[in-house]
Amino acid sequence: QVQLVESGGGLVQAGESLRLTCRASGSIHSTYTMAWYRQAPGKQREVVASIIYGGKRYYADSVKGRFTISRDNNALYLQMNMLKYDDTAIYYCNARPRGEPADAGSWGPGTQVTVSS
C-alpha cells in the first residue's frame, strides 16, 4: 500500500486559512479515490472532502464554500479558508481504490489543526 504523510497543520485564529498537504510515497493511480477526514476530541472520524476519478468533488456541508480539495500525481491538498473553532481536529489523508471503503486504503498519521476563537 502507498504510504501517506500529512503536513500543514497548526494553530490559527478563527477566520484565518491553512493549506494541508498529503504526500504519497509514490504515484497514486488516477482512478483512486482520495479524501480528507478529520476527528475532533470525543467525536467519530468524519469525511471532510473527497475527490474521485474524473475529478468530481464531494464536501461535507460544514465546509462547503470554505474548503477546496485538489490533487496531483502524488499529493492531495486541502485549502481551508475562513476557519472556525469547530474545524479543530486531527486531519487525515486517505487513498483507496475506486469503489472501496476508506478502511480498505491507506491512511496517513494525521496533522493537528487547532482554531482559536
Side-chain angles (χ1 to χ4, degrees):
Q1 284 188 334
V2 65
Q3 304 296 315
L4 304 173
V5 178
E6 304 93 340
S7 62
L11 172 63
V12 296
Q13 293 186 337
E16 295 184 339
S17 299
L18 281 173
R19 180 177 171 85
L20 304 184
T21 299
C22 169
R23 294 212 177 272
S25 55
S27 294
I28 299 175
H29 200 280
S30 61
T31 63
Y32 269 45
T33 295
M34 297 195 72
W36 288 99
Y37 289 74
R38 67 186 181 187
Q39 187 167 19
K43 295 186 178 181
Q44 290 188 330
R45 188 175 297 189
E46 62 177 0
V47 61
V48 175
S50 63
I51 184 167
I52 65 174
Y53 179 57
K56 187 173 182 179
R57 293 162 171 82
Y58 162 84
Y59 294 97
D61 287 343
S62 59
V63 307
K64 281 181 182 177
R66 299 188 298 120
F67 290 11
T68 302
I69 188 171
S70 60
R71 64 179 290 183
D72 60 28
N73 285 346
N74 68 341
L76 182 70
Y77 308 97
L78 187 68
Q79 178 65 41
M80 305 187 295
N81 298 329
M82 299 172 56
L83 282 161
K84 302 177 181 180
Y85 174 78
D86 288 346
D87 295 321
T88 296
I90 299 175
Y91 284 70
Y92 300 91
C93 175
N94 175 265
R96 62 203 188 248
R98 183 173 53 169
E100 295 292 328
D103 286 340
S106 300
W107 292 93
T111 185
Q112 177 72 48
V113 172
T114 303
V115 184
S116 63
S117 57

